[in-house]
Amino acid sequence: MKKLLSFALAASSVWAVHAADFPIKDKVITIVVPFTAGGPTDRVARDLAEAMRKPLGGVAIVVDNAAGAGGSIGANKTAKATPDGHTLLVHHIGMATMPTLVRNIPFKVESDFEYLGLINDVPMTVISKPGMPANNYKELTAWIAQNKGKINLGNAGIGSASHLCGLLLQTALQTDMTTVPYKGTAPAMTDLIGGQIDLLCDQTTNTTSQIEGKKVKAFAVTTPKRLTTPALKDLPTLDESGLKGFSVSIFHGLYAPKGTPADVVVKLNAALKVALKDPEFIKKQEGLGAVVVTDGRMEPAGHKKFVADEIVKWSPIIKAAGVYAE
């Protein structure tokens, strides 16, 4: 018993030192990204690493891409890491969909992480092949009604942002389309431009340049309010177009392993909030079509409640579709 008590006291003192001295000098902070390098989440994480470096005393922050299984491999890697604040996770809406989407998920989203704050919201756009006969949202819904059973709706893969948006869109329109999954947005966009598929609902990070270049037709945005981006400012929202309450954005949040000392969580959250107000970070996010969070979701409690609400929102939709990420 004395040995166990001594061990427990020694362990607690180590964590106390870590908390007081965080970040530890000469120890790198690693941000795990559960997707491949070069994608939207990877870019957000790298921009965030740069913006958080100064408020954390100039510590080195690196990005570790651990992709696979609908984003659960990287999330699990973080959940199992030493909870000392030096291993973090940047994840997107997958934190809300993994509990339903991924079979035998090896961790619990709501209890195996410390929520550090939300980073941004990325709007979605409903776009079509260039040869679509419809020219506005009203005409598009009429075309959809006339072509039931014949419509091909592309996405970037099971569990991707475009897949989730497509599921919600079908539910809202009360119609089924043939879902065509691709290995990434690039091949899906290529086939949309070529007319091999009819529709795509994807992030502004992936669609704005194609809309600007008039390579696709754009019909609506998925946010509650219209966007201010020049190429998208004239697009109506789905809510104002008749799909009342329709709202979906691909959020990104920052997480740490459960058990990270409370004062380390406070320091990380403070550094995150400094980063979210950094003009250069904001500029980079706007360049991605993302909106930096400025509301209560910057706080750990607000972040956690938001994800819990999103889990409730997406679970029945995913279950009804009967899809799983392998």
Side-chain angles (χ1 to χ4, degrees), residues 78-101:
T78 307
K80 301 299 189 290
T82 301
D84 62 359
H86 289 82
T87 301
L88 308 176
L89 172 72
V90 168
H91 210 315
H92 65 18
I93 195 172
M95 288 296 275
T97 59
M98 282 189 296
T100 310
L101 191 63

PDB file of all heavy atoms in Angstrom, residues 78-101:
ATOM      1  N   THR A  78      -4.529  10.342 -30.350  1.00  0.00           N
ATOM      2  CA  THR A  78      -4.524  11.452 -29.397  1.00  0.00           C
ATOM      3  C   THR A  78      -5.128  11.035 -28.061  1.00  0.00           C
ATOM      4  O   THR A  78      -4.593  11.363 -26.995  1.00  0.00           O
ATOM      5  CB  THR A  78      -5.309  12.645 -29.960  1.00  0.00           C
ATOM      6  OG1 THR A  78      -4.805  12.980 -31.248  1.00  0.00           O
ATOM      7  CG2 THR A  78      -5.202  13.853 -29.041  1.00  0.00           C
ATOM      8  N   ALA A  79      -6.240  10.311 -28.123  1.00  0.00           N
ATOM      9  CA  ALA A  79      -6.911   9.880 -26.891  1.00  0.00           C
ATOM     10  C   ALA A  79      -5.989   9.034 -26.019  1.00  0.00           C
ATOM     11  O   ALA A  79      -6.065   9.077 -24.786  1.00  0.00           O
ATOM     12  CB  ALA A  79      -8.181   9.108 -27.227  1.00  0.00           C
ATOM     13  N   LYS A  80      -5.106   8.260 -26.661  1.00  0.00           N
ATOM     14  CA  LYS A  80      -4.224   7.348 -25.919  1.00  0.00           C
ATOM     15  C   LYS A  80      -2.878   7.989 -25.574  1.00  0.00           C
ATOM     16  O   LYS A  80      -2.031   7.363 -24.937  1.00  0.00           O
ATOM     17  CB  LYS A  80      -3.975   6.085 -26.757  1.00  0.00           C
ATOM     18  CG  LYS A  80      -5.240   5.307 -27.130  1.00  0.00           C
ATOM     19  CD  LYS A  80      -5.990   4.813 -25.909  1.00  0.00           C
ATOM     20  CE  LYS A  80      -7.114   3.856 -26.275  1.00  0.00           C
ATOM     21  NZ  LYS A  80      -8.247   4.517 -26.963  1.00  0.00           N
ATOM     22  N   ALA A  81      -2.653   9.221 -25.983  1.00  0.00           N
ATOM     23  CA  ALA A  81      -1.367   9.880 -25.733  1.00  0.00           C
ATOM     24  C   ALA A  81      -1.261  10.327 -24.272  1.00  0.00           C
ATOM     25  O   ALA A  81      -2.254  10.432 -23.550  1.00  0.00           O
ATOM     26  CB  ALA A  81      -1.226  11.101 -26.653  1.00  0.00           C
ATOM     27  N   THR A  82      -0.025  10.577 -23.839  1.00  0.00           N
ATOM     28  CA  THR A  82       0.203  11.099 -22.491  1.00  0.00           C
ATOM     29  C   THR A  82      -0.513  12.433 -22.336  1.00  0.00           C
ATOM     30  O   THR A  82      -0.295  13.352 -23.132  1.00  0.00           O
ATOM     31  CB  THR A  82       1.710  11.301 -22.240  1.00  0.00           C
ATOM     32  OG1 THR A  82       2.380  10.049 -22.408  1.00  0.00           O
ATOM     33  CG2 THR A  82       1.961  11.816 -20.828  1.00  0.00           C
ATOM     34  N   PRO A  83      -1.348  12.576 -21.311  1.00  0.00           N
ATOM     35  CA  PRO A  83      -2.140  13.809 -21.154  1.00  0.00           C
ATOM     36  C   PRO A  83      -1.364  14.935 -20.478  1.00  0.00           C
ATOM     37  O   PRO A  83      -1.670  15.336 -19.357  1.00  0.00           O
ATOM     38  CB  PRO A  83      -3.314  13.338 -20.289  1.00  0.00           C
ATOM     39  CG  PRO A  83      -2.732  12.252 -19.442  1.00  0.00           C
ATOM     40  CD  PRO A  83      -1.730  11.541 -20.317  1.00  0.00           C
ATOM     41  N   ASP A  84      -0.362  15.440 -21.175  1.00  0.00           N
ATOM     42  CA  ASP A  84       0.463  16.510 -20.597  1.00  0.00           C
ATOM     43  C   ASP A  84       0.383  17.809 -21.396  1.00  0.00           C
ATOM     44  O   ASP A  84       1.142  18.743 -21.155  1.00  0.00           O
ATOM     45  CB  ASP A  84       1.913  16.051 -20.482  1.00  0.00           C
ATOM     46  CG  ASP A  84       2.553  15.730 -21.836  1.00  0.00           C
ATOM     47  OD1 ASP A  84       1.863  15.855 -22.867  1.00  0.00           O
ATOM     48  OD2 ASP A  84       3.729  15.335 -21.858  1.00  0.00           O
ATOM     49  N   GLY A  85      -0.533  17.853 -22.369  1.00  0.00           N
ATOM     50  CA  GLY A  85      -0.705  19.063 -23.164  1.00  0.00           C
ATOM     51  C   GLY A  85       0.197  19.150 -24.373  1.00  0.00           C
ATOM     52  O   GLY A  85       0.091  20.105 -25.151  1.00  0.00           O
ATOM     53  N   HIS A  86       1.052  18.156 -24.583  1.00  0.00           N
ATOM     54  CA  HIS A  86       1.991  18.206 -25.703  1.00  0.00           C
ATOM     55  C   HIS A  86       1.541  17.386 -26.905  1.00  0.00           C
ATOM     56  O   HIS A  86       2.229  17.358 -27.926  1.00  0.00           O
ATOM     57  CB  HIS A  86       3.382  17.755 -25.248  1.00  0.00           C
ATOM     58  CG  HIS A  86       4.050  18.768 -24.356  1.00  0.00           C
ATOM     59  ND1 HIS A  86       3.786  18.853 -23.013  1.00  0.00           N
ATOM     60  CD2 HIS A  86       4.929  19.755 -24.636  1.00  0.00           C
ATOM     61  CE1 HIS A  86       4.495  19.838 -22.482  1.00  0.00           C
ATOM     62  NE2 HIS A  86       5.193  20.407 -23.444  1.00  0.00           N
ATOM     63  N   THR A  87       0.371  16.729 -26.781  1.00  0.00           N
ATOM     64  CA  THR A  87      -0.244  16.070 -27.927  1.00  0.00           C
ATOM     65  C   THR A  87      -1.681  16.560 -28.025  1.00  0.00           C
ATOM     66  O   THR A  87      -2.478  16.386 -27.097  1.00  0.00           O
ATOM     67  CB  THR A  87      -0.237  14.539 -27.784  1.00  0.00           C
ATOM     68  OG1 THR A  87       1.102  14.070 -27.645  1.00  0.00           O
ATOM     69  CG2 THR A  87      -0.858  13.890 -29.029  1.00  0.00           C
ATOM     70  N   LEU A  88      -1.999  17.194 -29.146  1.00  0.00           N
ATOM     71  CA  LEU A  88      -3.316  17.769 -29.367  1.00  0.00           C
ATOM     72  C   LEU A  88      -3.917  17.201 -30.654  1.00  0.00           C
ATOM     73  O   LEU A  88      -3.226  16.534 -31.428  1.00  0.00           O
ATOM     74  CB  LEU A  88      -3.218  19.295 -29.469  1.00  0.00           C
ATOM     75  CG  LEU A  88      -2.481  20.009 -28.320  1.00  0.00           C
ATOM     76  CD1 LEU A  88      -2.376  21.503 -28.622  1.00  0.00           C
ATOM     77  CD2 LEU A  88      -3.179  19.771 -26.992  1.00  0.00           C
ATOM     78  N   LEU A  89      -5.166  17.486 -30.872  1.00  0.00           N
ATOM     79  CA  LEU A  89      -5.875  17.002 -32.054  1.00  0.00           C
ATOM     80  C   LEU A  89      -6.676  18.132 -32.675  1.00  0.00           C
ATOM     81  O   LEU A  89      -7.372  18.863 -31.970  1.00  0.00           O
ATOM     82  CB  LEU A  89      -6.832  15.867 -31.651  1.00  0.00           C
ATOM     83  CG  LEU A  89      -7.816  15.356 -32.724  1.00  0.00           C
ATOM     84  CD1 LEU A  89      -7.085  14.553 -33.791  1.00  0.00           C
ATOM     85  CD2 LEU A  89      -8.916  14.502 -32.071  1.00  0.00           C
ATOM     86  N   VAL A  90      -6.554  18.288 -33.983  1.00  0.00           N
ATOM     87  CA  VAL A  90      -7.469  19.152 -34.731  1.00  0.00           C
ATOM     88  C   VAL A  90      -8.352  18.249 -35.574  1.00  0.00           C
ATOM     89  O   VAL A  90      -7.860  17.484 -36.404  1.00  0.00           O
ATOM     90  CB  VAL A  90      -6.720  20.160 -35.638  1.00  0.00           C
ATOM     91  CG1 VAL A  90      -7.702  20.816 -36.615  1.00  0.00           C
ATOM     92  CG2 VAL A  90      -6.047  21.235 -34.800  1.00  0.00           C
ATOM     93  N   HIS A  91      -9.643  18.288 -35.321  1.00  0.00           N
ATOM     94  CA  HIS A  91     -10.588  17.427 -36.041  1.00  0.00           C
ATOM     95  C   HIS A  91     -11.776  18.253 -36.486  1.00  0.00           C
ATOM     96  O   HIS A  91     -12.046  19.319 -35.935  1.00  0.00           O
ATOM     97  CB  HIS A  91     -11.058  16.293 -35.127  1.00  0.00           C
ATOM     98  CG  HIS A  91     -11.406  15.023 -35.858  1.00  0.00           C
ATOM     99  ND1 HIS A  91     -12.166  15.001 -37.007  1.00  0.00           N
ATOM    100  CD2 HIS A  91     -11.099  13.722 -35.594  1.00  0.00           C
ATOM    101  CE1 HIS A  91     -12.305  13.752 -37.415  1.00  0.00           C
ATOM    102  NE2 HIS A  91     -11.670  12.960 -36.581  1.00  0.00           N
ATOM    103  N   HIS A  92     -12.477  17.751 -37.498  1.00  0.00           N
ATOM    104  CA  HIS A  92     -13.631  18.482 -38.010  1.00  0.00           C
ATOM    105  C   HIS A  92     -14.942  17.865 -37.525  1.00  0.00           C
ATOM    106  O   HIS A  92     -14.993  17.261 -36.449  1.00  0.00           O
ATOM    107  CB  HIS A  92     -13.554  18.625 -39.525  1.00  0.00           C
ATOM    108  CG  HIS A  92     -13.641  17.345 -40.307  1.00  0.00           C
ATOM    109  ND1 HIS A  92     -14.125  16.159 -39.801  1.00  0.00           N
ATOM    110  CD2 HIS A  92     -13.320  17.081 -41.614  1.00  0.00           C
ATOM    111  CE1 HIS A  92     -14.114  15.224 -40.739  1.00  0.00           C
ATOM    112  NE2 HIS A  92     -13.617  15.749 -41.832  1.00  0.00           N
ATOM    113  N   ILE A  93     -15.978  17.982 -38.313  1.00  0.00           N
ATOM    114  CA  ILE A  93     -17.297  17.481 -37.952  1.00  0.00           C
ATOM    115  C   ILE A  93     -17.298  15.985 -37.647  1.00  0.00           C
ATOM    116  O   ILE A  93     -18.220  15.458 -37.029  1.00  0.00           O
ATOM    117  CB  ILE A  93     -18.301  17.801 -39.090  1.00  0.00           C
ATOM    118  CG1 ILE A  93     -19.744  17.639 -38.618  1.00  0.00           C
ATOM    119  CG2 ILE A  93     -18.004  16.970 -40.321  1.00  0.00           C
ATOM    120  CD1 ILE A  93     -20.762  18.115 -39.640  1.00  0.00           C
ATOM    121  N   GLY A  94     -16.225  15.306 -38.044  1.00  0.00           N
ATOM    122  CA  GLY A  94     -16.094  13.883 -37.758  1.00  0.00           C
ATOM    123  C   GLY A  94     -16.203  13.550 -36.281  1.00  0.00           C
ATOM    124  O   GLY A  94     -16.589  12.434 -35.921  1.00  0.00           O
ATOM    125  N   MET A  95     -15.858  14.493 -35.415  1.00  0.00           N
ATOM    126  CA  MET A  95     -16.001  14.237 -33.984  1.00  0.00           C
ATOM    127  C   MET A  95     -17.471  14.023 -33.612  1.00  0.00           C
ATOM    128  O   MET A  95     -17.778  13.351 -32.630  1.00  0.00           O
ATOM    129  CB  MET A  95     -15.413  15.385 -33.166  1.00  0.00           C
ATOM    130  CG  MET A  95     -13.903  15.440 -33.192  1.00  0.00           C
ATOM    131  SD  MET A  95     -13.094  14.000 -32.443  1.00  0.00           S
ATOM    132  CE  MET A  95     -13.069  14.485 -30.705  1.00  0.00           C
ATOM    133  N   ALA A  96     -18.367  14.580 -34.392  1.00  0.00           N
ATOM    134  CA  ALA A  96     -19.795  14.410 -34.126  1.00  0.00           C
ATOM    135  C   ALA A  96     -20.387  13.220 -34.868  1.00  0.00           C
ATOM    136  O   ALA A  96     -21.434  12.703 -34.471  1.00  0.00           O
ATOM    137  CB  ALA A  96     -20.554  15.674 -34.513  1.00  0.00           C
ATOM    138  N   THR A  97     -19.732  12.768 -35.932  1.00  0.00           N
ATOM    139  CA  THR A  97     -20.290  11.679 -36.738  1.00  0.00           C
ATOM    140  C   THR A  97     -19.631  10.324 -36.473  1.00  0.00           C
ATOM    141  O   THR A  97     -20.245   9.288 -36.713  1.00  0.00           O
ATOM    142  CB  THR A  97     -20.166  12.002 -38.239  1.00  0.00           C
ATOM    143  OG1 THR A  97     -18.791  12.186 -38.583  1.00  0.00           O
ATOM    144  CG2 THR A  97     -20.943  13.267 -38.578  1.00  0.00           C
ATOM    145  N   MET A  98     -18.395  10.333 -35.975  1.00  0.00           N
ATOM    146  CA  MET A  98     -17.702   9.057 -35.729  1.00  0.00           C
ATOM    147  C   MET A  98     -18.452   8.108 -34.809  1.00  0.00           C
ATOM    148  O   MET A  98     -18.446   6.887 -35.046  1.00  0.00           O
ATOM    149  CB  MET A  98     -16.292   9.312 -35.176  1.00  0.00           C
ATOM    150  CG  MET A  98     -15.275   9.711 -36.209  1.00  0.00           C
ATOM    151  SD  MET A  98     -13.587   9.748 -35.534  1.00  0.00           S
ATOM    152  CE  MET A  98     -13.724  11.054 -34.301  1.00  0.00           C
ATOM    153  N   PRO A  99     -19.089   8.586 -33.733  1.00  0.00           N
ATOM    154  CA  PRO A  99     -19.784   7.648 -32.848  1.00  0.00           C
ATOM    155  C   PRO A  99     -20.813   6.786 -33.562  1.00  0.00           C
ATOM    156  O   PRO A  99     -21.090   5.663 -33.143  1.00  0.00           O
ATOM    157  CB  PRO A  99     -20.449   8.571 -31.818  1.00  0.00           C
ATOM    158  CG  PRO A  99     -19.557   9.766 -31.770  1.00  0.00           C
ATOM    159  CD  PRO A  99     -19.122   9.967 -33.204  1.00  0.00           C
ATOM    160  N   THR A 100     -21.407   7.303 -34.636  1.00  0.00           N
ATOM    161  CA  THR A 100     -22.395   6.542 -35.398  1.00  0.00           C
ATOM    162  C   THR A 100     -21.792   5.943 -36.663  1.00  0.00           C
ATOM    163  O   THR A 100     -22.141   4.829 -37.065  1.00  0.00           O
ATOM    164  CB  THR A 100     -23.575   7.450 -35.797  1.00  0.00           C
ATOM    165  OG1 THR A 100     -24.050   8.138 -34.654  1.00  0.00           O
ATOM    166  CG2 THR A 100     -24.716   6.636 -36.400  1.00  0.00           C
ATOM    167  N   LEU A 101     -20.868   6.656 -37.262  1.00  0.00           N
ATOM    168  CA  LEU A 101     -20.362   6.302 -38.586  1.00  0.00           C
ATOM    169  C   LEU A 101     -19.298   5.205 -38.560  1.00  0.00           C
ATOM    170  O   LEU A 101     -19.204   4.399 -39.485  1.00  0.00           O
ATOM    171  CB  LEU A 101     -19.789   7.547 -39.256  1.00  0.00           C
ATOM    172  CG  LEU A 101     -19.435   7.476 -40.732  1.00  0.00           C
ATOM    173  CD1 LEU A 101     -20.679   7.208 -41.571  1.00  0.00           C
ATOM    174  CD2 LEU A 101     -18.784   8.778 -41.173  1.00  0.00           C
TER     175      LEU A 101
END
